[in-house]
Amino acid sequence: MTRRPSAFARARMAIARAIAPDPVRRFDGASGSRRWDRGAHFGSVSTEALAAAGPMRSRARYFYNNNAHARSGVEVLVTHLVGTGITPASKTTDADVRAALGTAWADWQNVADADGRSDLAGVIGLAVHGMVVDGDSLLHLVQTPRGLRVRAIPAEQLDESKTADLGDGRYIVGGVEYHADGTRAAYWVLPAKPTQTEITYAPAVRIPASDVLHLCAPVGIGQVRGVTWLAPVLLRLAEIDGLEDALVTGFKVAALHAGFLIDQNGQSDIPYDADSSGLVDGMEPGSLKRLPPGLDVKFNSPQQAQQSTEFLQAQLRAVATGLGVPEFMLTGDVSRANYSSLRAALITFRAHIERLQYTILIPQVLRPLWERFVTSAILSGNVNADGFESNLADYLAAEFHPPAMPWVDPLKDVQATKAAIESGLMSRRQAVSAQGWAIEELDAEIAADAAREESLGLTFNAPKP
């Protein structure tokens, strides 16, 4: 006989269920059930993001590597966020130091990759790709005998399982260690390398936060680990794959045009093309199949999906919206675009990219990397700067120039920029910055061109400094 729990035991179990973590994650991209089956609820962003990071990262990587539209959207974001690289320009008042830092950076960025496979733009591109697909990524700053180097670390190497209370207000969440005042103290990184083919169980290694750049686009206050940018569209991508498979199967079945010969009285001595159950196998387009007497073949005629092309386009527009990229960039289809629609889409996309560059990529990666580079270059003696420690803010000051966004109509855009400069609504520095250049470098190149042309007796209509 089964004994029924006491009223106290039942109450205790009810309380435990009420306060226990919900096993169904509220990121649909990480859930194993349909989105509305348990109601529209969402807990703490940091908790939800940490719990959903692994499943969503795996699914996002799958779609990036197997779905053409997911790959296109990710590549569009990485290309426009990084391009050929975001260039810093020193703002120090010392002209000699400014020029020396510019030259030193130009030389260093070519050898900045600790693995020697790419340049700085390539390493940052890997980090941005990791942020978009995986949710976050790390850049490890390594001081080598050859100077400062940068190594990209994938998201899974930051130990998500490491969460602990260290006492005195210090704690670790998802592999990120914090001081008592809430600032980041260190990162706990698993020593396994991405190139390893065997699983290792070595414990995580503590790396000071000053040597790590954590690239992550938070979706809420207090978020520690990132969430893949494909999270809002993972379910939709799966449904699009299913829809495309169904449409392709329908077309294949429709192409199976075959005929059936029925023995009316059972007198034919020709063998039947069916098994004992009367099932016909091996259908091929244009074939004739013989059936046993008394059997007939009828096929169901499901209603063809109406406006399937329009529905698929609507789904792809939703994917583009979820990723924050124009539809024509996601699909490559510009058949319905015109000058006005392209310009409107690019203006919105440009504002979106600039926000991401100046609020995430530059403060999380470029600015701390520049400050570390300047400090290393001056302290190592590669750049002479008197009174560095007493004038630190001046030497570390810089402005950053992302690559120029594409123009829809270059002539009109140049004319508009020229009019803005002439009317005093824009400075040349602002105009040149928008093209991804530092004005000092541009003016120096113009002056050098003018001097060379004059020495060769050439005359062009190029602007003179």
Side-chain angles (χ1 to χ4, degrees):
M1 179 177 177
T2 303
R3 185 177 181 181
R4 187 181 181 187
S6 65
F8 175 78
R10 293 197 303 272
R12 185 174 60 183
M13 287 188 290
I15 294 174
R17 286 194 298 268
I19 64 176
D22 190 347
V24 179
R25 304 288 11 126
R26 296 312 179 187
F27 279 102
D28 285 334
S31 174
S33 57
R34 198 64 180 98
R35 65 183 68 183
W36 297 118
D37 61 349
R38 295 194 58 183
H41 303 287
F42 203 97
S44 166
V45 173
S46 182
T47 303
E48 296 289 350
L50 188 59
M56 285 201 297
R57 180 168 61 241
S58 175
R59 293 173 184 179
R61 288 179 176 178
Y62 170 84
F63 281 110
Y64 170 77
N65 288 288
N66 292 280
N67 185 285
H69 299 113
R71 177 177 287 264
S72 176
V74 171
E75 293 301 321
V76 165
L77 288 168
V78 175
T79 297
H80 287 82
L81 282 169
V82 182
T84 56
I86 298 178
T87 306
S90 174
K91 294 178 64 177
T92 177
T93 54
D94 190 323
D96 293 336
V97 173
R98 186 167 63 243
L101 287 175
T103 301
W105 176 274
D107 294 336
W108 174 76
Q109 66 180 356
N110 295 324
V111 297
D113 183 8
D115 296 324
R117 302 284 295 173
S118 184
D119 59 5
L120 181 62
V123 177
I124 294 178
L126 287 176
V128 171
H129 178 275
M131 174 180 66
V132 175
V133 176
D134 300 338
D136 52 6
S137 61
L138 303 177
L139 290 175
H140 185 197
L141 306 183
V142 184
Q143 200 69 40
T144 71
R146 298 170 298 164
L148 180 65
R149 296 293 184 266
V150 183
R151 174 176 285 118
I153 299 177
E156 65 266 23
Q157 278 192 246
L158 184 55
D159 192 356
E160 295 168 347
S161 65
K162 194 168 189 62
T163 298
D165 185 354
L166 303 178
D168 297 327
R170 299 179 300 112
Y171 56 94
I172 303 174
V173 177
V176 183
E177 180 181 330
Y178 288 85
H179 291 297
D181 60 1
T183 57
R184 301 194 175 200
Y187 291 85
W188 290 84
V189 179
L190 297 172
K193 303 297 188 298
T195 52
Q196 288 183 234
T197 57
E198 297 180 356
I199 299 177
T200 61
Y201 298 94
V205 177
R206 185 181 186 273
I207 302 178
S210 58
D211 291 335
V212 177
L213 304 178
H214 185 195
L215 186 57
C216 161
V219 296
I221 299 174
Q223 184 176 339
V224 177
R225 299 298 302 271
V227 176
T228 172
W229 294 16
L230 294 171
V233 298
L234 284 176
L235 277 178
R236 197 174 298 275
L237 287 170
E239 291 167 351
I240 289 174
D241 277 357
L243 172 61
E244 290 178 341
D245 289 343
L247 292 175
V248 170
T249 301
F251 289 135
K252 289 181 178 179
V253 171
L256 290 174
H257 183 69
F260 297 91
L261 299 177
I262 302 175
D263 188 353
Q264 298 288 348
N265 51 20
Q267 300 301 316
S268 175
D269 58 354
I270 302 176
Y272 307 127
D273 296 320
D275 58 20
S276 58
S277 64
L279 296 176
V280 178
D281 56 357
M283 289 181 60
E284 296 179 359
S287 63
L288 292 175
K289 297 294 183 179
R290 298 176 179 84
L291 302 181
L295 293 181
D296 192 3
V297 175
K298 295 184 182 298
F299 293 98
N300 67 323
S301 300
Q303 184 180 4
Q304 296 294 324
Q306 301 296 321
Q307 299 178 331
S308 57
T309 302
E310 291 79 2
F311 178 75
L312 184 58
Q313 289 174 343
Q315 297 302 301
L316 292 177
R317 281 196 295 271
V319 172
T321 301
L323 287 175
V325 303
E327 180 191 0
F328 74 88
M329 288 186 177
L330 183 81
T331 63
D333 180 12
V334 293
S335 60
R336 295 174 297 160
N338 54 40
Y339 172 80
S340 298
S341 63
L342 287 176
R343 183 175 179 82
L346 284 177
I347 288 175
T348 304
F349 183 58
R350 176 180 294 183
H352 176 59
I353 289 296
E354 287 180 347
R355 180 185 68 84
L356 295 174
Q357 288 171 334
Y358 284 97
T359 62
I360 295 176
L361 189 53
I362 290 176
Q364 290 186 7
V365 174
L366 271 302
R367 183 171 292 115
L369 183 59
W370 167 260
E371 292 176 355
R372 178 67 173 266
F373 166 79
V374 171
T375 303
S376 176
I378 293 177
L379 293 181
S380 64
N382 292 333
V383 175
N384 294 322
D386 296 331
F388 170 69
E389 295 182 356
S390 61
N391 203 17
L392 184 62
D394 178 69
Y395 286 126
L396 296 181
E399 58 185 10
F400 299 88
H401 306 288
M405 292 288 289
W407 283 332
V408 178
D409 189 331
L411 179 60
K412 290 183 178 179
D413 286 334
V414 169
Q415 290 174 340
T417 300
K418 180 181 177 181
I421 293 174
E422 292 175 348
S423 61
L425 298 176
M426 175 186 287
S427 67
R428 279 190 66 242
R429 179 178 292 274
Q430 289 175 318
V432 172
S433 243
Q435 301 308 312
W437 288 88
I439 192 169
E440 291 84 3
E441 294 181 6
L442 179 63
D443 289 344
E445 288 195 15
I446 292 175
D449 285 347
R452 185 177 62 257
E453 292 164 12
E454 183 177 357
S455 66
L456 297 175
L458 301 176
T459 303
F460 298 106
N461 292 325
K464 298 298 187 292

